Amino acid sequence: MCTTQECPTPTTNTVTRRAALLGGALVAAGAALAPAAPAQASGRRGIADLTYPLTTSFPAFAPGEEAARRTYVTIEDNGYYMQEWRILEHYGTHVDAPGHFVAGGRLATEIGIEELVAPVVVVDIARRAARDPDTTVTVDDLVAYERRYDRIPRGAAVFMYSGWGAKVGDAAAYRGTDSAGVLHFPGFSPEACEWLLRRRSIRSLGVDTLSIDPGVSATFDTHLVLLGADRYGVENVANLHRLPRQGATVNVGLIPYEAGSGGQARVFATW
């Protein structure tokens, strides 16, 4: 999601008082949270791949963080083909584990598979994002979603659809970097994240941008609230326009890197 230089160094002081209080209240509830029930439907009607192909040209959070690869052995010379990759954990479609921002927070190997399957709801802010790249998902958006569709289920993954995937072929546009070096793309407001945690006991947040925080954020408050509550985020999610706004189930195939602060994931949804 960000470079070591750009992210706050994870220490016990990294978590805000707001996140610490919220996290304390939610840890017990999280431990008792039963595996989320998949959306009920009369047989599977659809499936969508929400993962971008992992390429060396995918937009990184900052220039220079792109992946690199080389051919390690070939069929002609060695009898089989294999590549060697150099890659950051927070590149491409990936997960932010709690330990990405919280000292002592759970790491990739500690996130249970029952947490990686959840009912998913999609909050559409694409029209507003087309006018204002700094917009965020707000509490009002969540209330409006529930009025139009249904109550966000307990243990859900809540994904933001901003239409930002249309820019993924242009790294500068996807980052939205201005002349001062500030990034511009949508994300979740910390208030919306708190509302979802307190009132709906969500399991995760997902976005079709580089970060669950808006690009202009320098303090990563949404990360601190979400990860401080022992939940995880999913970034650079593809093809959210293909999902129904409710009724789908998301599967997040997180790579369990040893001591990983997160990692790449094959994400797909069925309904």
Side-chain angles (χ1 to χ4, degrees), residues 71-83:
T71 299
Y72 191 72
V73 293
T74 66
I75 293 173
E76 292 78 10
D77 294 338
N78 308 95
Y80 62 100
Y81 167 64
M82 184 166 63
Q83 296 184 110

Side-chain angles (χ1 to χ4, degrees), residues 198-269:
R198 288 185 182 277
R199 294 175 178 261
R200 300 295 180 264
S201 297
I202 64 161
R203 178 152 290 159
S204 64
L205 294 180
V207 292
D208 58 352
T209 59
L210 283 159
S211 172
I212 59 172
D213 278 284
V216 295
S217 175
T219 53
F220 304 105
D221 291 341
T222 301
H223 275 86
L224 292 172
V225 172
L226 183 71
L227 306 187
D230 197 37
R231 303 300 195 263
Y232 66 88
V234 189
E235 295 168 337
N236 297 315
V237 180
N239 297 321
L240 287 178
H241 63 285
R242 295 182 54 194
L243 265 62
R245 296 299 176 250
Q246 62 172 343
T249 297
V250 70
N251 299 263
V252 181
L254 170 63
I255 297 176
Y257 288 126
E258 181 181 6
S261 64
Q264 284 72 41
R266 185 67 182 265
V267 184
F268 63 95

Side-chain angles (χ1 to χ4, degrees), residues 8 10-11 14-15 27 90 95-112 115-116 203-204 212 222-234 254 259-263:
T11 68
T14 299
V15 185
V27 165
H90 299 270
V95 166
D96 287 1
H100 184 37
F101 270 77
V102 180
R106 288 190 302 154
L107 301 174
T109 53
E110 299 172 293
I111 297 177
E115 299 175 71
L116 300 172
R203 178 152 290 159
S204 64
I212 59 172
T222 301
H223 275 86
L224 292 172
V225 172
L226 183 71
L227 306 187
D230 197 37
R231 303 300 195 263
Y232 66 88
V234 189
L254 170 63
S261 64

